[in-house]
Amino acid sequence: MSTPSQDYVPLRTGATRRGPDEIVTPSSIERRKASVAEDMRQARSSEAVGRLEAELQALDDLLAQEQARKAVYPELVRRFLALPAAGQQLYRTASRPTSANRNRWSRP
């Protein structure tokens, strides 16, 4: 996860049968969509096609999310740098993952 006190960290696709874990870029999403499209051509049921269409939409959504995050990150950094040193330190401390935070936000 990117915080304004660090360099931008892009979203990642996660390793799936569509490919290894990689940074979300238009080309990485297009490669994965090509794999889904191939499976769609071979799909034998409307249920399978529906799942594959949902996967295509999820890939499009992931790319859109990454592009939106990347677009607003410079403004987030600008606002962070405008904070006084104490405010920046408070942000760093509050956004640091701790075992209590991980347990509180993790799914059972």
Side-chain angles (χ1 to χ4, degrees):
M1 178 173 148
S2 296
T3 64
S5 62
Q6 303 171 332
D7 289 337
Y8 180 75
V9 178
L11 293 176
R12 300 189 67 86
T13 59
T16 68
R17 64 184 286 261
R18 306 277 177 221
D21 182 30
E22 57 188 327
I23 293 172
V24 172
T25 63
S27 60
S28 68
I29 295 301
E30 285 305 314
R31 279 192 302 275
R32 286 171 184 263
K33 286 174 68 174
S35 175
V36 174
E38 178 62 32
D39 286 352
M40 284 181 81
R41 285 189 283 279
Q42 298 173 9
R44 301 212 183 274
S45 71
S46 60
E47 183 180 322
V49 170
R51 284 194 308 270
L52 293 167
E53 287 172 344
E55 189 174 348
L56 284 173
Q57 185 60 54
L59 288 168
D60 286 337
D61 292 348
L62 183 61
L63 181 58
Q65 181 182 9
E66 170 57 19
Q67 291 170 336
R69 288 175 80 239
K70 192 172 188 175
V72 300
Y73 195 72
E75 175 63 14
L76 183 63
V77 170
R78 187 192 67 73
R79 289 180 182 195
F80 174 79
L81 294 175
L83 291 172
Q88 290 180 16
Q89 184 56 42
L90 179 63
Y91 183 90
R92 285 186 191 102
T93 302
S95 64
R96 185 179 307 131
T98 64
S99 59
N101 288 341
R102 278 192 301 268
N103 292 337
R104 183 173 50 173
W105 298 111
S106 64
R107 296 182 182 185

